[in-house]
Amino acid sequence: RPPLFFREAWKETQEVAVTQAFVSNPGLELKLYGPSGADQHITSEGGAPPHIFTGMCMQNCALALRHKDYYVDLTGLAKMRWVTKTSGFHLVHPIVLLADGTWLVGDHADGYTFDWHESEFFFAEMRWQKLHIDRVTPYGGWAENVDLSKVDEIGFSDLMPGGLHGTARCTQSATAWSDVAQIEVYGKPVARQ
């Protein structure tokens, strides 16, 4: 089975815009994408685990992590484990950037649960669609012959605009967001050249 490639649990903070300063793993680089990429927040308020909050993204947004020294081979039994919580119809999907510059979004999705939910999934079990990273929207139907042997970045998107949070800023019916706390990726490291 492939080893743990990286684990990111974020640093504790009051709610603020997420930046590299809140990445707890020194080997990782934070990447923000989409029209509202910079509107993603991080928080650990209210006893919650430190997590990324997409509710402030008024347009689609995505977040990815890039290891400074290695690509990762996500073939075979490579998997991802994350802790998520969502609201409304939001579904958190994994995204990857291949070494050749191709962005993909997987069909695995975690949606609404009563509280934080830990799940894991194998990359080999997923179907993939190409992803317009500037707009954070899938296109072109299912991708064929996807080669995950050299992946540059790994992250997530819910492929939807956020709806703020709490009744202080909007009506309860408009509240919609995704929270992503701890992320673990298991795969074989491949040295960058």
Side-chain angles (χ1 to χ4, degrees):
R1 294 184 181 272
L4 176 65
F5 178 63
F6 74 70
R7 177 179 188 269
E8 179 52 53
W10 315 106
K11 294 180 182 175
E12 292 193 16
T13 181
Q14 300 297 310
E15 185 175 329
V16 295
V18 66
T19 65
Q20 181 69 38
F22 298 103
V23 177
S24 62
N25 183 329
L28 298 178
E29 296 175 355
L30 176 75
K31 305 287 187 170
L32 303 174
Y33 295 103
S36 283
D39 297 329
Q40 295 173 86
H41 283 197
I42 185 165
T43 183
S44 55
E45 293 176 327
H51 61 276
I52 305 303
F53 169 70
T54 67
M56 305 309 286
C57 296
M58 295 297 97
Q59 299 180 67
N60 292 7
C61 60
L63 181 149
L65 295 165
R66 178 182 186 271
H67 196 284
K68 294 175 182 176
D69 300 319
Y70 298 98
Y71 295 111
V72 62
D73 179 348
L74 297 179
T75 60
L77 294 175
K79 65 183 180 181
M80 188 167 182
R81 180 181 298 145
W82 59 20
V83 178
T84 62
K85 186 171 70 165
T86 67
S87 172
F89 289 106
H90 286 238
L91 299 169
V92 184
H93 294 268
I95 63 171
V96 296
L97 171 62
L98 305 182
D100 69 4
T102 302
W103 278 99
L104 301 168
V105 57
D107 68 347
H108 175 86
D110 282 306
Y112 177 78
T113 57
F114 180 70
D115 200 3
W116 293 99
H117 174 72
E118 181 177 319
S119 64
E120 72 176 36
F121 45 90
F122 293 94
F123 290 95
E125 291 182 321
M126 280 185 268
R127 293 186 302 166
W128 299 89
Q129 285 192 346
K130 289 186 177 179
L131 183 68
H132 276 297
I133 198 61
D134 292 341
R135 297 191 308 254
V136 191
T137 55
Y139 70 97
W142 299 112
E144 300 291 332
N145 304 314
V146 172
D147 180 4
L148 298 176
S149 62
K150 193 184 274 189
V151 174
D152 190 19
E153 297 179 24
I154 304 164
F156 65 87
S157 177
D158 53 21
L159 306 175
M160 296 176 70
L164 305 175
H165 57 72
T167 55
R169 295 189 184 160
C170 61
T171 64
Q172 192 63 33
S173 62
T175 302
W177 38 259
S178 294
D179 289 339
V180 178
Q182 179 177 303
I183 299 172
E184 293 178 357
V185 174
Y186 293 80
K188 298 173 187 171
V190 178
R192 295 185 181 277
Q193 297 178 356

